[in-house]
DNA sequence: CCCAACGCTTGATACAAATCAAGGAGAGCG
DNA sequence: CGCTCTCCTTGATTTGTATCAAGCGTTGGG
């Protein structure tokens, strides 16, 4: 199997990941890559399919090669909250304690690079640096979760939707379509349905739709089609999101 | 210095912590305790004082010996959200990356057991198990944050207040005041003001106050005084919190 | 002692977002 | 082609929570 896929984001010589994750993705030695190649298994998941459930223990962990995964929690009466989004080249799964406390569901078509749990835990012993990188990742996930708590608890519907767009633009934008400042113009795809956005933001689909319309009317974003957007000024979008320039 | 205080929750022979944190708190060898005793420094913080700021890098990490610490984030216009509460014997501070992304403020009088950052990072090298325990802790914090996201995004004001009481009762209750089932009667102290509760739950103080009154009228809780509560039936409180028995 | 400050509660009113309801655009299919 | 289905938008109405406002009890200081 191609190193690029073994790589994903966590264990990686993959250029893409190295750029995105900087120091976390230290290069592995050839024999380590070789080792990984032997235990890894590729898998493709269709949109809407469940990848991990909170009921059955997960027997694998995975690098996300492409696509978007929703981590969801659902109350007994059906109210749902998305507690995390994972994009390539994120890492899916918990190293310790096999059981997940939430569902992982494919939001788009997803390609995974799976490590059987038992094998992966052996890796943790063999390559001590691996646990450290997992730890760094978990710290960043915690920061993101806490950032999101501010959004859920204290932002208005318009700020929530704008913040969501900022997050997406930053994570997946094709930046700088001709403008002199690369921050000036960002185009991005929306990998989620309105229902998913609502579950992310603690809103209803109608409110999400209305707020997108409002941002469109104010010319904060241009809606190319319901799944792709253009941001004329990142600063204005950030202002609508209630973020000052100092923030992430 | 007494081992109990060196211990806190993270690095510990402390019985209290061992009970609360189980396997995470492996016993240290006598020379390790000795090593810790040499670098640790005790500190007391008054309610309302800032312990860590997101502006200046933190030069220390700490075990919480007693008291409650709020982790807060504030938007530029002053709206505030509490993104975490830490009780004794939790661990305060980030191992990697000195800068905090939030404020840590004493909610009550707090006693800390501080490790200078430089010394602590040497410890991480000397005792590899230490990083692992920190990692486990971080995973639990992440779970708690995601649990809280469901509350912030999808629960009603009444469910939020009831959930908050469940959390407090579980973390700090004097359980089983005479009832045959230890789950039957729980009494707990409220270490936070109404304003803090509101900032935790994404509500206003007025709404918090009204919902506490509602729970009182429904006899879900008895208000002994504005800072202490009695829960006649944990099951009823959980029902009011929108938690089924299977949940945390 | 009085007075101000603080934390908390309660009431009246306003408003943002939910809910209820209808319809349009596009995809897939017989 | 017509059909259904899903996703999305928009409008009318309701409702839960915020906001504004007043007052109570306790604490601490002059």
């Amino acid at each position: 199997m191609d190193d690029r896929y073994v790589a994903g984001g966590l264990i990686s010589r993959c250029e893409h990941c190295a750029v995105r994750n900087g120091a976390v993705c230290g290069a592995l030695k050839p024999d380590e890559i070789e080792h990984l190649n032997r235990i890894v298994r590729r898998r493709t998941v269709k949109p809407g399919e469940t990848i991990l459930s909170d009921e059955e223990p997960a027997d694998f962990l995975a690098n996300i090669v492409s696509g978007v995964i929703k981590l969801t929690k659902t109350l007994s009466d059906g109210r749902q909250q998305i507690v995390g989004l994972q994009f390539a080249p994120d890492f899916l799964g918990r190293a310790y304690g096999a059981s997940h406390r939430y569902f992982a569901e494919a939001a788009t078509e997803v390609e995974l690079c799976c490590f059987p749990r038992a094998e992966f835990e052996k890796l943790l012993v063999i390559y001590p640096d691996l646990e450290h990188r997992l730890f760094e990742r978990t710290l960043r996930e915690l920061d993101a979760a806490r950032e999101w708590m501010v959004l859920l608890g204290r932002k208005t519907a318009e700020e929530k939707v704008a913040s969501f767009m900022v997050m997406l633009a930053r994570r997946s934008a094709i930046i700088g379509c001709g403008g002199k400042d690369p921050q000036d113009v960002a185009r991005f795809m929306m990998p989620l349905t309105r229902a998913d956005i609502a579950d992310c933001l603690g809103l209803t689909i109608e409110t999400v739709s209305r707020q997108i319309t409002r941002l469109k009317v104010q010319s904060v974003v241009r809606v190319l089609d319901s799944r792709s957007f253009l941001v004329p000024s990142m600063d204005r979008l950030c202002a609508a999101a209630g973020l000052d320039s100092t923030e992430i």
Side-chain angles (χ1 to χ4, degrees), chain A:
Chain A
M1 184 173 287
D2 181 350
D3 290 358
R4 284 180 60 94
Y5 298 124
V6 178
L10 185 74
I11 311 158
S12 170
R13 304 195 294 195
C14 165
E15 283 174 39
H16 182 208
C17 316
V19 171
R20 291 199 29 171
N21 298 312
V24 176
C25 295
L28 291 184
K29 298 180 203 81
D31 65 313
E32 292 172 354
I33 294 276
E34 188 50 39
H35 187 156
L36 289 172
N37 273 331
R38 260 180 272 123
I39 66 166
V40 91
R41 214 169 51 77
R42 195 72 172 285
R43 184 177 159 196
T44 303
V45 187
K46 296 224 175 338
E49 257 182 67
T50 298
I51 299 168
L52 296 170
S53 145
D54 63 354
E55 287 151 9
E56 50 196 279
D59 57 346
F60 67 93
L61 301 94
N63 280 322
I64 304 171
V65 176
S66 70
V68 181
I69 294 173
K70 308 179 277 181
L71 304 181
T72 68
K73 275 176 169 275
T74 307
L75 295 173
S76 44
D77 62 358
R79 282 175 289 175
Q80 192 173 74
Q81 177 69 45
I82 293 180
V83 297
L85 286 178
Q86 304 204 278
F87 298 80
D90 289 343
F91 183 76
L92 177 72
R94 287 188 75 121
Y96 306 102
S99 87
H100 265 250
R101 310 179 76 77
Y102 26 79
F103 278 83
E105 188 185 320
T108 63
E109 170 126 342
V110 168
E111 288 177 284
L112 294 174
C113 202
C114 300
F115 304 93
R117 172 171 294 279
E119 298 287 344
F120 187 80
E121 288 180 350
K122 278 184 221 157
L123 279 187
L124 283 175
V125 178
I126 301 172
Y127 308 126
D129 192 37
L130 187 53
E131 178 172 20
H132 180 74
R133 278 182 262 162
L134 272 176
F135 187 17
E136 295 263 19
R137 238 161 218 280
T138 305
L139 283 171
R140 270 180 287 130
E141 278 188 272
L142 182 59
D143 286 337
R146 285 175 166 163
E147 191 68 41
W148 216 245
M149 287 169 72
V150 179
L151 176 145
L152 290 171
R154 290 303 186 198
K155 289 193 178 176
T156 65
E158 184 174 355
E159 289 170 330
K160 285 178 176 182
V161 171
S163 299
F164 189 75
M165 289 181 175
V166 170
M167 185 270 285
L168 274 183
R170 289 201 173 135
R171 280 188 103 155
S172 65
I174 305 147
I175 292 286
C177 315
K180 47 189 180 316
D181 182 337
Q183 283 288 325
D184 262 2
V185 179
R187 199 188 307 149
F188 63 91
M189 287 307 219
M190 176 62 68
L192 304 181
T193 66
R194 299 293 186 261
D196 287 333
I197 303 171
D199 283 345
C200 252
L201 301 176
L203 299 171
T204 59
I205 52 173
E206 294 95 330
T207 299
V208 170
S209 181
R210 276 187 253 270
Q211 297 305 330
I212 291 176
T213 304
R214 281 190 65 182
L215 292 172
K216 186 173 69 181
V217 169
Q218 298 169 244
S219 304
V220 175
V221 293
R222 280 174 51 201
V223 182
L224 304 179
D225 70 70
S226 77
R227 290 299 191 94
S228 70
F229 296 82
L230 196 136
V231 183
S233 154
M234 218 43 191
D235 285 348
R236 290 195 59 202
L237 183 61
C238 286
L243 303 163
D244 38 335
S245 45
T246 62
E247 290 175 82
I248 325 169

